[in-house]
Amino acid sequence: MTILNQVLLHTPAYSQMAGALTYLSDAPLPPGTLVRVPLGQRELLAVVWNNGPAQPSDAALDPARLRPIAAVLDALPPLNASWRALISFAASYYQRTAGEVALAALPPQLRDLSSVQLARKLKKLAKAAAAVSLDTPIDALPTPEGHTNNAVHPVVLSDEQTKVISQFHQNPGPFLLFGATGSGKTEVFMQCTAELLASSPDAQALVMVPEINLTPQLEDRFKARFGSRYGADAVVSMHSGMTPAQRLNNWLAAHSGAARIVLGTRMAVFASMPQLKLIIVDEEHDPSYKSGEGARYSARDLAIYRGRLEGAKVLLGSATPSLESWYHSRPAAEGGRYLRLAMPSRIGSGKLPLVRRVDMNHQPKSCVISPSLLAAIAQRITRGEQSMVFLNRRGYAPVLQCTDCDWKSECPHCSAYRVFHKIDRTLRCHHCGLTERVPRACPACGNPDIAPLGRGTERLEEHLAELLAETRRPDGQPVRIVRIDADTTRHKGALESQLAQVHTGDVDVLVGTQMIAKGHDFRRITLVAAVNPDNALFSSDFRASERLFSLLMQAAGRAGRDEAVANQSEMWLQTCHPTHPLYEALKKHDYPAFAASQLKERLQAAMPPFSFQALVRAEARTQDAAQGFLNLASQAAARQSDTAGLLAQLTLYPAVPMSIARIANVERAQMLVESPSRAALQRFLSAWQGVLHNTRTQPECKGVIRWAIDVDPLSI
Ligand code: ADP
Ligand code: ZN
Ligand code: ZN
């Protein structure tokens, strides 16, 4: 008998063959089976999605033209039903094809291995896992009181931790762990994981972090805690920085069940974990959980969905939750769907830092670091304490300008300025990458006097070094300043070694971008300063204040983590709007007050979470073509019955240029679609896809290069 198999493979999202393709096999293959199939001259990895004997309705398919499956990877268990349901859901929700989503979630190297090689790898993994469970020291097991009896790492839980963990046990979730920075959230994550793993010999946990490079400590802590109990291979990572071979091995470990804990970035939400029982999303507010390319999925939102599919508990954690999660965790009586767990206090007697605002309207003209902030930093240095100063702009100066004519260092290919990097005297475009030597004289008028305008971290570092040149450390040595940003950490291992310097105390002042504000557990920092945070207060993006508040809270959370120095720790804000409500709430470390005021504004303006949005972005040779395409597709929606019927529940805004309208000579425009009903928006988008396709083929849309839909966009 000939079986027709619908298989998914990685076909470009909007190509002709967006759906599944049909291949033949002699015997039925269970859905989820991994196979290799021929496509043109190539052989591709693919997943069997549906199959069955040839039906009369398949008559349209000419069996003579169908090709057989080339190889079945039968050493591997098929991808299970919940995994397939997750892929189908993600594809339809984010308006992509299931093939694209499924294949992006699988390690590409699977394609290159024979069944024999795969079987050998799986056997090795199983053997390692079995060896460990035989000789586990019993004293490493968590005791029933929830205290881990581990001699190396004795932990007595705080009252808040104990309470939160028992709530976690007694409820189905999903949970939002709202815990101050330093309240011991990570310890709660590890306790919940420990108890799950101890409760069942094959249960698996997925722990997600925003950016693995920025949170190496979390990985270290999990590996240290669980590696000794379950073997070094029981904790595997999944992130984009891995080699293809590591990615394959870790994926196989998760898929075969040998790995008990998968620690990863957003891509890990698609890890195949047949016994998944717990999903943790650390720093759930972090924008990097949202993918910016391909299927623009939110790993946090998919984690919630996946938890429901698999019957796994989901635990989100943050000191500054996203307003969406905060809103979902309102009391159940008011419609909340998540259970909010609170840990307001820091571990031990650690207090949150005192927030001080410097009114920049009353400082010496064009001063960058106010005299009072400078004095406070100098005082830290003489006491042997550390300070952290951050500014959201890397490079030396954001613009070079001619002092005579109007010339500025614009990028010829983008609607943006090229940034001056003094270290190698280059002008670099942070959007298209164009890098050139700084011209000797103004290219427009020949004036040799071209000057930096504004300030980036590189210039701030230089400036601080000048200001602090006379200041001495307690040991009489000059001040040590280190800068951490995307420029100083480009090389592998650079970030780690710079962070190590901060930890050992070799550094007195740490200068950097928001990169340093997240996650790190620096012990001896007693002063954190935001040099110029005001920009975001008046942004056109309605999420800008949310992001600023969370960034500043996180940054403040870096100060005073060591009890010995906690009581003198301070967060300094240099601002021209010292009485702005955002800063008032920050001063009180009052996230709930801030969230309440933001939610009120969002409700009045019918913004998320009170409405649902999607953006369609188009790229074209000209701005007219990009906008024209979107506006045409919008008009066509009104003429088509399956889309027109939904228009009453939707708002389609006119197309506008994106905030950086041109990158690398490509013009970009976007159109916002909004609805109070998520279901209506979803129905509209899937019907509108076809309209967009058709519109694109119109002669007036010839200049359009590509378009894509972003559902629940984070930046507008
Ligand atoms: P968060 O993730 O909430 O910022 P962490 O989990 O990193 O906080 O905890 C902050 C610090 O407190 C860490 O150094 C951690 O080892 C320590 N810690 C956490 N829980 C306890 C506890 N119960 N007893 C002692 N120290 C703890
Ligand atoms: Zn000039
Ligand atoms: Zn450019």
Side-chain angles (χ1 to χ4, degrees), residues 462-685:
E462 182 186 274
H463 187 57
L464 275 168
E466 284 163 11
L467 293 174
L468 296 166
E470 305 304 319
T471 312
R472 290 288 173 268
R473 295 158 51 104
D475 60 7
Q477 294 292 310
V479 176
R480 291 175 217 178
I481 303 179
V482 152
R483 170 166 59 96
I484 299 188
D485 56 30
D487 294 318
T488 67
T489 55
R490 196 156 290 151
H491 299 292
K492 202 172 159 63
L495 177 64
E496 288 75 6
S497 72
Q498 286 168 5
L499 290 176
Q501 264 184 307
V502 182
H503 286 295
T504 55
D506 280 353
V507 172
D508 307 301
V509 181
L510 175 61
V511 177
T513 52
Q514 58 174 341
M515 215 170 161
I516 56 175
K518 290 185 186 178
H520 306 290
D521 194 5
F522 299 130
R523 307 307 299 183
R524 297 208 48 88
I525 287 185
T526 59
L527 182 148
V528 173
V531 174
N532 181 17
D534 283 348
N535 288 345
L537 294 179
F538 309 102
S539 164
S540 61
D541 186 337
F542 71 90
R543 280 195 177 83
S545 341
E546 179 184 352
R547 278 197 296 269
L548 175 64
F549 187 85
S550 133
L551 177 66
L552 295 176
M553 271 292 257
Q554 295 289 334
R558 297 314 110 210
R561 292 174 78 88
D562 200 324
E563 277 182 47
V565 296
N567 294 329
Q568 58 245 26
S569 72
E570 294 177 350
M571 161 104 194
W572 286 64
L573 301 170
Q574 298 197 133
T575 168
C576 294
H577 309 274
T579 57
H580 193 284
L582 189 149
Y583 297 138
E584 297 282 357
L586 191 74
K587 181 160 178 61
K588 300 188 199 110
H589 301 282
D590 195 348
Y591 171 82
F594 170 75
S597 76
Q598 285 287 308
L599 284 173
K600 202 167 139 198
E601 281 177 27
R602 300 255 187 114
L603 179 64
Q604 280 161 359
M607 299 274 203
F610 305 100
S611 70
F612 300 90
Q613 298 181 327
L615 275 181
V616 191
R617 300 204 177 93
E619 297 185 356
R621 303 268 166 243
T622 64
Q623 189 56 235
D624 273 356
Q627 291 185 30
F629 160 67
L630 294 172
N631 289 328
L632 272 179
S634 169
Q635 290 151 18
R639 293 193 300 268
Q640 192 123 337
S641 62
D642 52 349
T643 43
L646 290 160
L647 286 178
Q649 298 178 67
L650 290 160
T651 311
L652 268 82
Y653 291 88
V656 292
M658 288 178 63
S659 59
I660 298 170
R662 183 169 50 108
I663 289 184
N665 290 327
V666 171
E667 294 285 346
R668 300 139 25 102
Q670 66 183 27
M671 173 178 278
L672 181 64
V673 187
E674 202 174 63
S675 173
S677 153
R678 176 175 258 160
L681 178 63
Q682 278 288 315
R683 277 202 304 278
F684 176 78
L685 291 176

Side-chain angles (χ1 to χ4, degrees), residues 88-112:
S88 297
F89 170 78
S92 88
Y93 188 81
Y94 294 104
Q95 307 294 325
R96 309 296 286 201
T97 67
E100 181 190 11
V101 179
L103 272 296
L106 297 170
Q109 279 213 334
L110 269 181
R111 195 195 63 148
D112 305 325

Side-chain angles (χ1 to χ4, degrees), residues 411 413-414 418 429 431-434 664:
C411 174
H413 309 306
C414 307
R418 279 178 298 166
C429 176
H431 301 285
C432 72
L434 178 73

